[in-house]
Amino acid sequence: MLPFDRRTGHIWYDGSLVEWSEATLHVLSHGLHYASSIFEGIRIYRGEPFLLSHHLDRLAASARILDFTLEYDREVLHKAARDVVERAGITEGYLRVNAWRGSEIIQTAALHTSVHTTLAAWELPAGYYAATDALDKGIRLVTGRYRRPSPAYAPVKSKAAGNYMIGTVSKNEALRAGYDDALLLDDRGNFVEATGAHLFFTKDGVLHTPTTRCTIDGITRAAVLALAAHQGVEVVVGDLPPAFAQEADGAFLCGTACEILPVAEIDGHGYEVRGNTLLHSLVTGYRGLVDGSGDVEVPNAWAPAP
């Protein structure tokens, strides 16, 4: 894959479209040194950023949690997102939005730094998140050694860059061990999520998923829950200890990048992917959402109060 700093095109940077190679920041930026940086990843389907309002509203919420305010309102960022996608000529791809504190000061406190925002879009190659046959065969997961912190110890509800450090280390270790991703536990030893996607289990026709006490509330997770409600599927949200992986008859991950991705194995325990009718009905329903043929509304829990 071509490194991102060698690509061509245009990136929306603080209000203007600039050449890809010119979208840079100083090495003494607060966001780089102290992780005062947030982001959103948005899928592009048929030339449209999917659930764009949900993502931009969550971006603003993440900024508030990290104690800064975005310089641009949602209307400006809506237009910027569509301008970037249209300029790139992308019909199926990915849009990344970033916001971070600037370089006015390098110390822990940062009350008076500037806040910068960028939007960039690119096409997603086959196998970007998982092998091209993963939808049929599923992926293999292993429990990572690090845990997600308690909400009393970290701003876990912000989609902050710093919160993904544990995920990067954990997924690197999983890949080296021959797995596709790592599962993370919470501070109490229960399942939380994978390194960048939410976790669901199926058991006797019922969906089970961990609480989001120690992590962000996922937008694709909200879509899965809406689909389940539409299809009349019972959903149980609660603490799931690692032993539950052996009680379940199936599992899958969901997220913007991976969509709905079947799991074939967790810590050596295998699942039948092709025969899981509940999983496949949700995959079908999700495809209907993204191609515009579905009639399920995904709640926007991050929308500003009227």
Side-chain angles (χ1 to χ4, degrees):
M1 181 185 296
L2 186 67
F4 281 93
D5 62 346
R6 299 181 188 175
R7 299 183 180 216
T8 59
H10 293 83
I11 291 175
W12 192 91
Y13 194 141
D14 284 348
S16 302
L17 285 171
V18 302
E19 293 287 341
W20 193 285
S21 61
E22 296 176 5
T24 59
L25 70 158
H26 197 275
V27 296
L28 295 179
S29 292
H30 196 277
L32 176 63
H33 290 255
Y34 292 98
S36 53
S37 170
I38 58 173
F39 71 97
E40 284 290 329
I42 306 166
R43 285 293 287 263
I44 301 164
Y45 299 104
R46 299 174 297 116
E48 287 290 327
F50 183 58
L51 297 178
L52 177 59
S53 292
H54 296 58
H55 284 281
L56 294 181
D57 289 340
R58 189 171 66 176
L59 183 81
S62 291
R64 289 192 294 271
I65 293 170
L66 289 199
D67 195 33
F68 64 83
T69 302
L70 299 177
E71 294 290 332
Y72 303 93
D73 62 28
R74 69 200 302 263
E75 287 73 22
V76 171
L77 295 179
H78 262 267
K79 183 179 185 305
R82 290 191 161 84
D83 288 348
V84 165
V85 172
E86 183 180 357
R87 184 68 174 262
I90 294 174
T91 55
E92 305 292 322
Y94 185 85
L95 175 68
R96 175 60 67 102
V97 188
N98 287 84
W100 69 94
R101 288 186 181 273
S103 56
E104 288 78 9
I105 191 168
I106 295 295
Q107 58 176 260
T108 307
L111 292 178
H112 304 296
T113 57
S114 57
V115 175
H116 302 276
T117 308
T118 57
L119 294 91
W122 58 89
E123 293 182 347
L124 283 182
Y128 182 82
Y129 188 91
T132 54
D133 60 356
L135 193 59
D136 294 321
K137 295 184 177 181
I139 61 172
R140 300 173 63 238
L141 305 177
V142 64
T143 300
R145 62 189 172 102
Y146 289 111
R147 295 187 177 187
R148 286 287 186 210
S150 159
Y153 302 147
V156 297
K157 290 299 181 181
S158 174
K159 195 169 176 66
N163 288 340
Y164 285 78
M165 172 185 62
I166 294 171
T168 296
V169 174
S170 299
K171 187 163 185 176
N172 285 350
E173 292 179 347
L175 292 173
R176 289 193 188 99
Y179 294 89
D180 298 295
D181 203 345
L183 286 177
L184 304 178
L185 306 181
D186 66 13
D187 58 315
R188 300 171 181 171
N190 296 307
F191 282 129
V192 179
E193 59 181 355
T195 60
H198 287 275
L199 173 66
F200 280 83
F201 290 100
T202 63
K203 181 181 178 183
D204 301 326
V206 177
L207 272 184
H208 296 261
T209 191
T211 72
T212 59
R213 184 178 65 89
C214 291
T215 188
I216 61 168
D217 296 298
I219 292 172
T220 309
R221 179 180 183 270
V224 170
L225 294 175
L227 286 168
H230 182 73
Q231 296 178 11
V233 176
E234 181 182 354
V235 179
V236 178
V237 179
D239 291 334
L240 296 177
F244 189 82
Q246 298 189 31
E247 301 175 19
D249 52 44
F252 63 89
L253 301 181
C254 73
T256 294
C258 71
E259 302 178 299
I260 296 179
L261 187 61
V263 172
E265 179 187 321
I266 295 177
D267 293 334
H269 180 76
Y271 304 104
E272 172 58 45
V273 172
R274 296 190 179 185
N276 193 322
T277 56
L278 174 52
L279 167 59
H280 289 291
S281 69
L282 292 170
V283 170
T284 300
Y286 192 74
R287 295 314 307 172
L289 279 181
V290 302
D291 69 17
S293 64
D295 57 356
V296 176
E297 183 175 349
V298 180
N300 183 356
W302 307 268

